């Protein structure tokens, strides 16, 4: 394994992966270091997945500027990443006369030519499940929903396709300087690079302190969600925002690209990193969702989750070179709309490194990612052809989401491949359906052991500390791996 | 091209219900019968139930799940029924057209009758909204039964089980036998959900504590379960403030109910009964669409597989016949004390059985069927529990000439604890 690179990126969330993808267009040797076993294990795995339109940018902030920049990248990224999106548009809903003023502000800020403010009848024609008492709604066709998992994984796959190395289980603990390079220290390795970028999400202030740079603490702000069964698809067809409040975009209801309905998030500042869901938070989300859509079928909930926004006191992104190591760039406080702004962030970082002397020479053999077919979404003719080509397409192991063995194999094998249960879930939706794995859970480890040669004792839900099993039964024990470890 | 075939009867699901229905159809004269099973083996839930406790009603002896399934598998092997395993049915339409997928391709089977026998799935953590972290180690109890009995793997070293139904109790014993400590079985009701026999043999004999009127209200542990919060609840099952404590464990098993798997049925527009979770059916398993049938756990969760086999054979026979069903004579409705009833429709008086599940545990009471003011059936019951369906042969009921709604009620003294 080579350990000297032109560029090292720390953190495999959407920010790190967008940077990897962006820089993989140029002639560099790049490595991405991530402490977990996969990409998309941090903030990027638990959010709303909305590509906010211009209407929701925050003027006079860096995050606002990069949000706008990012929007112009979207068509190109979609093409290079072969990313499925739901271009559904959004309605921002005023439930009181006072809120109508907010709608006008949003409209004025967005300056989107096709956006309009409409009355309740028109709004309910578009979204019949909207609260009858709404006073007006602002319609903005530019809002898009993506699967954050698909976005991060496709960025990572495209980057890997273009030569970026992904190294997992690499917990960065410090930095050092050699004559020409910055040294990145992980417990087992020392890595070196001319330039280093950190994109560590919730740990971004902490990592900046490893290089003795001064920055405020990250304050996590929790948001909780409901995910409804796919048979609720169509309950809402657009993102429904409440008229904006000060701190966040409020509790919204929206469709996902896969056909679930999402309700959330609330906004709860915490003094520690605790991503538990709570009675209190879920109740708040329930209330908020009922205000927008009084008949939302929350009893069809298949999953609750919560995410932590990595916020700084001034609620903005901070992107700065270290005072200690001139070629070390920190990205701190990448909170909402970090997903939307990812491409803009990458471009901005590119400019900063360029100004520091990094030459950006474009490769002439950059390869686009090609998405693998999704059995669930394929029509019958395509399915027929797929099975003819490879019988693995005819073996469905996750019945709720209709995922086939062919898709599991592909997800395990395509770099940076899945290596955990959640890694598969994020790529191909095994265990993401209504049974939450109570049927298919056991067929997945069997495939992982067959295809990836992973021993049962080394199978994890997400991280190294989350083993799926605690050993084997007495009968199995006598002849197996666990016996050696003496755990029977 | 998809493989197109014609059939008299297609049965979806190869558990005990599906196997019996396919055999029933064949025996009643259906020539071409297809039995489609998603798993790589027939048997359904039985394959993971290695404990004895099956077949007393049907075969007069105690068998294990695989033994019980084996009898049907043998019968199927010597019949001319087309069995396809590793085959998932993805679509059914109202004309009896079934689309299935397996490694050899796409199958389009046009059938005169379709029998739904897809069984049920388990309720999950998110359906009962247990808040907390989302670590590894939260499993449904049936999944753990499969994990341990079929794959030989253990879910943890120290478990807490939520729900005192039979699956939870049996899994508790299985884990203790494998050296996994069960710290407690926690039940939100004030009485046992499962059989007393299972309570004695699975919990008492292993010194596993049972907590009534308690539930799990939190999960701790970022990566793997470290503890669960156990709270006392009031009469309306709301946690009582201050009456909770954390109990250490590395896995939480949920035995909190089963849900009939009716996505295929619902997509046909067949109405689902809110109490049973299955389609409204008559004594032969006929749904609202006359050539579409349902039997076994897809119609309502049964506690005894023997009943499932008996009913499903009858359903299979009905599916084989060409004549349209008689008009509905009676509609059965749940009254006080009744959790559910199947079938909910009666066409022919005196045929088959009626199964009633009590809503709560009661003693020294009565079960009553009433047509208007008139009592058409009444029987004392010494004790009844939600875990045990009451089986009432239809011929024991004095069905009146006049058709219409029949209300079923159970009364008695509430039972607390065991
Ligand atoms: C509730 C909620 C809703 C949101 N909704 C939206 C939305 O709708 N639209 C939108 O645009 N944005 C949204 N956001 C914001 C968006 O999710 C985040 O801005 C974005 O995901 C941040 O990505 P990241 O890559 O910077 O951080 P992360 O995804 O957290 O990635 C950081 C990575 O760095 C790794 N790491 C940390 N420390 C180290 C170390 N020392 N060594 C090695 N690796 C390390 C972590 O393991 C992690 O994988 C939302 C956020 C939240 C919480
Ligand atoms: C964990 C557990 C323990 C039990 N213990 C006992 C006991 O001790 N004693 C007792 O008498 N009873 C017991 N029971 C009850 C008994 O097992 C059930 O009543 C019986 O299995 C129901 O049979 P079934 O065929 O309706 O459903 P299942 O056994 O669930 O079979 C349904 C079959 O349909 C298949 N299927 C579903 N959808 C599709 C599709 N789309 N395409 C193709 N195939 C499909 C499934 O793979 C499955 O094999 C237990 C039940 C459970 C869940």
């Amino acid at each position: 394994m080579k350990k000297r690179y032109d560029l090292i990126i720390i953190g495999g969330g959407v920010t790190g992966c967008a940077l990897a993808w962006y820089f993989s267009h140029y002639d560099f040797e790049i490595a991405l270091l991530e402490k977990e076993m996969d990409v998309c294990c941090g903030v990027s795995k638990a959010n709303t997945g909305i590509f906010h339109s211009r209407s929701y940018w925050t003027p006079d902030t860096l995050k606002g500027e990069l949000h706008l920049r990012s929007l112009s990248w979207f068509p190109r990224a979609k093409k290079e990443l072969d990313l499925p999106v739901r271009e559904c548009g959004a309605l921002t809903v005023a439930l009181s006369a006072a809120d109508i003023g907010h709608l006008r502000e949003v409209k004025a800020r967005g300056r989107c030519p096709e956006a309009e403010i409409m009355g309740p009848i028109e709004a309910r024609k578009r979204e019949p499940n909207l609260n009858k008492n709404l006073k007006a709604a602002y319609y903005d066709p530019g809002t898009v929903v993506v699967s954050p998992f698909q976005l991060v994984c496709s960025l990572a796959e495209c980057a890997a396709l273009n030569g970026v190395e992904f190294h997992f289980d690499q917990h960065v603990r410090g930095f050092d300087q050699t004559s020409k390079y910055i040294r990145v220290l992980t417990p087992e390795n020392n890595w070196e690079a001319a330039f280093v970028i950190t994109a560590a999400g919730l740990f971004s202030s902490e990592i900046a302190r490893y290089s003795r740079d001064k920055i405020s603490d990250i304050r996590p702000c929790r948001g909780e969600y409901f995910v409804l069964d796919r048979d609720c698809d169509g309950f809402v067809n657009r993102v429904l925002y409440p008229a904006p409040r000060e701190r966040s975009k409020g509790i919204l209801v929206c469709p996902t690209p896969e056909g679930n309905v999402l309700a959330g998030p609330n906004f709860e500042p915490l003094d520690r990193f605790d991503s538990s869901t709570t009675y209190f938070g879920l109740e708040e989300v329930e209330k908020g969702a009922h205000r927008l859509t009084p008949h939302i079928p929350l009893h069809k909930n298949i999953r609750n989750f919560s995410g932590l926004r990595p916020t700084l006191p001034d609620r903005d992104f901070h992107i700065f070179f270290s005072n200690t190591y001139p070629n070390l760039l920190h990205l701190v406080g990448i909170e909402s709309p970090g997903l939307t702004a990812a491409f803009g962030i990458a471009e901005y970082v590119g400019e900063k490194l360029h100004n520091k002397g990094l030459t950006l020479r474009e490769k002439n053999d950059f390869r686009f990612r090609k998405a693998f077919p999704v059995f669930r979404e394929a029509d019958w003719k395509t399915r027929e052809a797929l099975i003819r080509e490879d019988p693995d397409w005819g073996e469905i192991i996750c019945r709720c989401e209709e995922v086939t063995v062919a898709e599991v194999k592909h997800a395990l094998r395509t770099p940076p491949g899945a290596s955990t249960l959640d890694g598969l879930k994020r790529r191909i939706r095994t265990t993401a359906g209504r049974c939450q794995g109570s049927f298919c859970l056991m067929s997945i480890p069997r495939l992982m052991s067959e295809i990836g040669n992973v021993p049962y004792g080394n199978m994890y839900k997400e991280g190294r500390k989350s083993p799926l099993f605690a050993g084997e039964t007495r009968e199995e024990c006598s002849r197996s791996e666990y016996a050696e470890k003496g755990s029977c | 091209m998809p493989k197109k075939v014609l059939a008299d009867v297609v049965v979806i699901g190869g558990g005990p219900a599906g196997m019996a229905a396919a055999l029933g159809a064949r025996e009643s004269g259906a020539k071409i019968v297809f039995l489609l099973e998603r798993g790589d083996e027939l048997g359904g839930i039985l394959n993971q139930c290695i404990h004895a406790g099956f077949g007393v009603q049907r075969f007069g002896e105690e068998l294990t799940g695989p033994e019980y399934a084996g009898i049907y598998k043998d019968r199927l092997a010597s019949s001319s029924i087309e069995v396809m395993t590793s085959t998932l049915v993805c679509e059914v339409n109202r004309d009896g057209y079934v689309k299935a997928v397996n490694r050899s391709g796409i199958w389009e089977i046009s059938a005169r009758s379709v029998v739904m026998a897809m069984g049920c799935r388990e309720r999950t953590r998110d359906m009962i909204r247990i808040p907390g972290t989302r670590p590894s180690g939260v499993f449904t109890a049936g999944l753990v039964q499969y994990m341990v009995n079929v794959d030989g793997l253990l879910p943890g070293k120290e478990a807490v089980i939520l729900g005192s139904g039979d699956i939870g109790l049996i899994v508790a014993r299985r884990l203790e036998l494998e050296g996994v400590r069960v710290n407690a079985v926690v039940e939100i009701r004030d009485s046992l959900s499962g059989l007393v026999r299972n309570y004695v043999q699975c919990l008492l004999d292993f010194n596993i504590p049972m907590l009534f009127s308690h539930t799990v209200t939190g999960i701790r542990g970022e990566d793997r379960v470290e503890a669960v919060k156990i709270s006392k609840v009031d009469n309306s099952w709301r946690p009582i403030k201050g009456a909770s404590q954390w109990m250490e464990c590395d896995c939480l098993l949920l035995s909190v109910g089963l849900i009939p798997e009716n996505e295929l049925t619902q997509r046909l527009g067949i109405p689902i009964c809110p109490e049973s979770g299955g389609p409204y059916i008559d004594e032969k398993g006929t749904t609202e669409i006359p050539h579409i049938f349902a039997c076994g756990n897809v119609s309502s969760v049964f506690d005894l597989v023997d009943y499932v086999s008996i009913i499903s054979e009858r359903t299979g026979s009905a599916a084989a016949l060409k004549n349209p069903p008689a008009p509905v004579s009676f509609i059965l409705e749940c009254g006080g004390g009744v959790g559910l009833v199947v079938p909910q429709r009666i066409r022919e008086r005196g045929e088959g059985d009626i199964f009633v599940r009590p809503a709560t545990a009661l003693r020294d009471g009565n079960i009553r069927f009433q047509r208007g003011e008139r009592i058409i059936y009444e029987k004392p019951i010494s004790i009844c529990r939600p875990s045990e369906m009451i089986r009432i042969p239809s011929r024991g009921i004095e069905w009146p000439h006049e058709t219409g709604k029949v209300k079923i009620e159970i009364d008695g003294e509430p039972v607390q604890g065991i």
Side-chain angles (χ1 to χ4, degrees):
Chain A
M1 189 175 10
K2 191 164 66 330
K3 297 209 178 127
R4 183 175 285 169
Y5 300 87
D6 296 315
L7 174 63
I8 283 179
I9 298 160
I10 300 164
V14 69
T15 311
C17 292
L19 288 165
W21 165 78
Y22 177 84
F23 285 105
S24 73
H25 288 77
Y26 303 100
D27 206 358
F28 295 131
E29 311 240 12
I30 306 170
L32 185 147
L33 308 182
E34 166 58 54
K35 68 179 166 69
E36 301 296 327
M37 297 173 71
D38 197 355
V39 295
C40 207
C41 291
V43 182
S44 305
K45 76 173 176 190
N47 55 63
T48 325
I50 299 178
F51 236 81
H52 298 291
S53 77
R54 291 180 61 88
S55 308
Y56 275 96
W57 79 291
T58 318
D60 307 321
T61 59
L62 180 59
K63 67 179 180 185
E65 182 195 331
L66 300 186
H67 176 172
L68 291 190
R69 273 206 199 193
S70 212
L71 293 180
S72 55
W73 272 87
F74 195 55
R76 172 168 172 194
K78 213 173 70 179
K79 202 162 107 208
E80 289 189 10
L81 303 173
D82 202 3
L83 180 71
V85 302
R86 187 155 167 167
E87 290 173 342
C88 56
L91 281 173
T92 304
V93 181
L95 288 169
S96 68
D99 280 344
I100 298 179
H102 288 300
L103 302 190
R104 294 207 189 96
E105 279 167 34
V106 176
K107 183 165 189 291
R109 196 183 319 139
R111 284 183 299 169
C112 305
E114 318 89 73
E116 54 178 313
I117 291 178
M118 58 183 59
I121 296 173
E122 183 65 17
R124 299 233 317 149
K125 220 189 271 166
R126 288 173 202 248
E127 291 294 339
N129 290 312
L130 260 179
N131 191 334
K132 274 204 210 68
N133 300 324
L134 88 151
K135 299 289 180 281
Y138 166 71
Y139 173 59
D140 175 357
T143 303
V144 171
V145 293
V146 300
S147 150
F149 310 146
Q150 290 296 328
L151 174 61
V152 178
C153 292
S154 63
L155 285 164
E157 283 174 22
C158 192
L161 197 63
N162 290 290
V164 175
E165 292 177 21
F166 285 79
H167 297 285
F168 297 110
D169 291 317
Q170 301 300 327
H171 198 150
V172 174
R173 308 264 189 199
F175 302 97
D176 204 351
Q177 181 89 46
T178 65
S179 56
K180 272 177 71 187
Y181 296 96
I182 302 172
R183 194 175 277 156
V184 179
L185 312 172
T186 61
E188 278 148 36
N189 298 301
N190 291 333
W191 311 78
E192 287 178 3
F195 287 90
V196 176
I197 312 169
T198 71
L202 289 165
F203 305 94
S204 51
S205 288
E206 186 184 314
I207 212 166
R209 293 210 187 103
Y210 296 165
S211 57
R212 299 184 295 283
D213 290 295
K214 286 204 182 62
I215 182 89
S216 311
D217 281 336
I218 287 287
R219 181 100 195 264
C221 290
R222 179 159 62 190
E224 303 186 35
Y225 292 87
F226 288 82
V227 185
L228 308 189
D229 195 314
R230 278 202 291 122
D231 70 13
C232 305
D233 194 15
F235 179 79
V236 295
N237 293 302
R238 288 166 191 76
V239 176
L240 305 183
Y241 296 104
R245 311 272 134 161
E246 272 157 48
R247 294 187 303 180
S248 76
K249 294 174 192 74
I251 293 163
L252 53 87
V253 177
C254 72
T256 70
E258 293 87 5
N260 300 92
V261 172
L262 209 60
N266 59 336
F267 189 94
E268 183 193 3
L270 299 178
D271 47 22
R272 66 208 147 90
F273 296 159
D274 178 0
S275 63
S276 301
T277 55
T278 62
Y279 280 120
F280 172 79
L282 293 175
E283 226 167 80
E284 203 180 341
V285 172
E286 193 167 355
K287 275 195 204 122
H290 278 140
R291 272 169 45 104
L292 282 174
T293 50
H295 303 294
I296 185 167
L298 291 177
H299 64 279
K300 292 263 185 182
N301 177 45
I302 60 167
R303 184 82 169 163
N304 292 117
F305 68 88
S306 78
L308 300 175
R309 304 169 184 87
T311 64
L312 285 172
D314 68 355
R315 301 293 314 270
D316 202 358
F317 299 170
H318 284 245
I319 300 179
F320 56 93
F321 281 105
S322 162
N323 280 323
T324 318
Y325 309 110
N327 288 352
L328 170 62
L329 186 74
H330 291 301
L331 277 62
V332 184
I334 309 300
E335 57 149 310
S336 200
L339 208 67
T340 315
F343 310 117
I345 293 175
E347 186 187 46
Y348 178 74
V349 168
E351 288 166 10
K352 283 203 150 234
L353 296 196
H354 177 74
N355 293 341
K356 268 267 162 151
L358 185 76
T359 1
L360 302 178
R361 210 172 318 107
E362 218 160 318
K363 289 180 192 161
N364 47 21
D365 57 350
F366 182 82
R367 291 166 68 190
F368 289 9
R369 168 184 179 266
K370 181 91 199 77
F372 202 57
V374 178
F375 186 87
R376 181 184 66 253
E377 286 164 4
D379 59 32
W380 285 101
K381 233 175 109 186
T382 314
R383 292 176 174 189
E384 177 80 31
L386 288 169
I387 301 173
R388 208 176 322 117
E389 205 173 290
D390 177 359
D392 282 348
W393 282 104
E395 197 173 334
I396 296 172
I397 61 149
C398 165
R399 78 207 225 190
C400 304
E401 297 292 313
E402 297 184 352
V403 186
T404 66
V405 170
E407 290 158 276
V408 176
K409 285 190 175 167
H410 183 265
L412 291 171
R413 287 173 178 160
T414 307
S419 56
T420 60
L421 198 67
D422 283 356
L424 283 172
K425 169 178 170 168
R426 289 176 195 142
R427 285 171 180 80
I428 54 175
R429 290 180 66 77
T430 41
T431 76
R434 59 178 68 93
C435 93
Q436 288 287 303
S438 55
F439 281 119
C440 62
L441 188 82
M442 292 314 296
S443 38
I444 297 168
R446 236 176 275 154
L447 276 172
M448 288 171 81
S449 120
E450 244 172 70
I451 300 163
N453 246 330
V454 187
Y456 282 96
N458 290 356
M459 286 182 190
Y460 303 95
K461 179 175 179 289
E462 184 174 31
R464 290 273 170 217
K465 291 188 212 132
S466 66
L468 283 180
F469 310 111
E472 299 193 345
T473 54
R474 293 180 203 283
E475 195 186 325
E476 293 287 322
C477 248
S478 47
R479 52 185 158 81
S480 73
E481 42 174 300
Y482 285 103
E484 287 154 30
K485 290 192 201 150
S487 71
C488 302
Chain B
M1 284 301 284
K3 296 165 216 334
K4 293 193 185 196
V5 280
L6 293 174
D8 294 304
V9 177
V10 173
V11 180
I12 308 173
M19 294 195 291
L23 287 163
R26 185 74 194 89
E27 274 152 32
S28 298
K31 288 203 183 62
I32 307 176
V33 179
F34 275 85
L35 175 56
L36 310 180
E37 165 58 41
R38 181 189 67 97
D40 51 13
E41 209 185 333
L42 292 176
I45 294 298
L46 295 178
N47 296 330
Q48 70 190 63
C49 298
I50 59 170
H51 58 279
F54 301 84
V56 180
Q57 304 269 337
R58 180 71 183 77
F59 297 112
E61 59 174 322
E62 271 223 326
L63 304 169
T64 65
E67 285 168 352
Y68 186 97
I71 297 177
Y72 283 87
K73 287 187 202 172
D74 290 346
R75 287 189 192 171
L76 283 162
S78 57
S79 76
S80 59
I81 292 166
E82 293 280 345
V83 175
M84 299 207 292
T85 53
S86 300
T87 303
L88 183 83
V89 173
C90 293
E91 270 179 38
V92 181
N93 80 10
R94 294 178 81 94
D95 303 324
Y97 168 88
V98 174
K99 220 164 193 169
V101 175
N102 64 21
R103 293 183 68 92
S104 69
I106 305 206
W107 292 75
E108 292 181 3
I109 311 176
S110 252
R112 209 155 36 79
S113 311
V114 177
V115 179
M116 305 282 197
M118 290 90 71
C120 51
R121 68 167 175 271
E122 299 182 86
R123 268 157 58 96
T124 63
R125 164 188 181 178
D126 302 275
M127 303 188 70
I128 58 170
R129 248 193 241 178
I130 305 176
T133 52
R134 325 205 54 80
S136 172
V138 182
F139 301 110
T140 55
L143 171 71
V144 167
Q145 191 178 44
Y146 186 94
M147 184 187 290
V148 176
N149 292 345
V150 179
D151 283 314
L153 293 163
L154 299 177
K157 292 183 165 40
E158 263 186 273
V160 167
I161 299 182
L162 179 60
S164 67
D166 288 312
I167 305 172
L169 301 179
I170 287 168
V171 168
R173 171 177 61 188
R174 186 75 182 95
L175 291 179
E176 282 282 343
L177 289 172
E178 288 294 345
V180 179
R181 179 72 200 139
V182 179
N183 289 343
V185 174
V186 181
E187 168 59 58
I188 198 167
R189 295 172 185 263
D190 60 4
S191 65
L192 190 71
S193 295
L195 302 175
V196 175
R197 181 185 80 166
N198 282 334
Y199 169 72
V200 173
Q201 294 176 357
C202 301
L203 299 197
L204 276 191
D205 291 0
F206 291 87
N207 286 320
I208 300 172
M210 169 86 230
L211 293 169
F212 289 111
S213 299
H214 280 75
T215 190
V216 171
T217 53
I219 298 177
R220 203 166 69 195
E222 270 306 313
D223 303 291
R224 179 82 202 183
V225 175
E226 286 163 13
V228 298
K229 191 177 183 182
I230 295 181
S231 303
K232 197 168 170 42
V233 298
D234 62 18
N235 291 339
S236 37
W237 295 0
R238 271 192 306 261
I240 299 169
K241 268 221 167 73
S244 62
Q245 76 192 66
W246 287 94
M247 185 180 276
E248 284 187 18
C249 60
D250 67 354
C251 60
L252 171 66
L253 313 193
L254 303 170
S255 173
V256 291
L258 302 171
I259 306 165
E261 275 256 292
N262 276 298
E263 278 68 34
L264 288 175
T265 324
Q266 268 170 304
R267 271 183 247 146
L268 286 173
I270 294 178
I272 300 293
C273 164
E275 287 100 15
S276 70
Y280 293 99
I281 52 172
D282 69 13
E283 67 279 0
K284 291 187 172 126
T286 324
T287 67
E288 310 259 296
I289 303 179
H291 54 274
I292 302 209
F293 298 79
C295 59
N297 279 4
V298 86
S299 65
S300 167
V301 176
F302 284 87
D303 29 87
L304 274 187
V305 73
D306 305 63
Y307 292 160
V308 168
S309 299
I310 296 165
I311 301 172
S312 304
E313 256 163 73
R314 201 180 294 135
T315 300
S317 303
L321 300 180
K322 290 193 177 122
N323 39 338
V328 171
S329 311
F330 299 100
I331 293 178
L332 306 187
E333 290 184 337
C334 301
V338 175
L340 67 88
V341 56
V342 267
Q344 303 87 347
R345 308 279 183 261
I346 301 293
R347 293 179 201 268
E348 286 169 45
R349 297 169 175 80
E351 282 218 9
D353 299 303
I354 290 155
F355 294 89
V356 178
R357 190 179 291 288
T360 55
L362 297 171
R363 63 160 46 99
D364 304 325
N366 281 289
I367 180 165
R368 219 174 5 258
F369 284 42
Q370 233 166 303
R371 165 77 190 93
E373 295 299 294
R374 187 162 149 205
I375 294 175
I376 59 172
Y377 178 82
E378 185 161 29
K379 202 177 163 187
I381 38 177
S382 54
I383 188 156
C384 69
R385 295 177 181 280
S387 58
E388 288 175 79
M389 284 179 148
I390 305 170
R391 178 191 188 186
I392 299 152
S394 183
R395 65 187 132 69
I397 298 166
E398 295 170 30
W399 296 108
H401 183 70
E402 193 192 348
T403 60
K405 287 182 180 160
V406 171
K407 191 177 222 134
I408 306 171
E409 280 173 335
I410 308 176
D411 55 27
E413 295 298 312
V415 177
Q416 269 176 18
I418 310 310

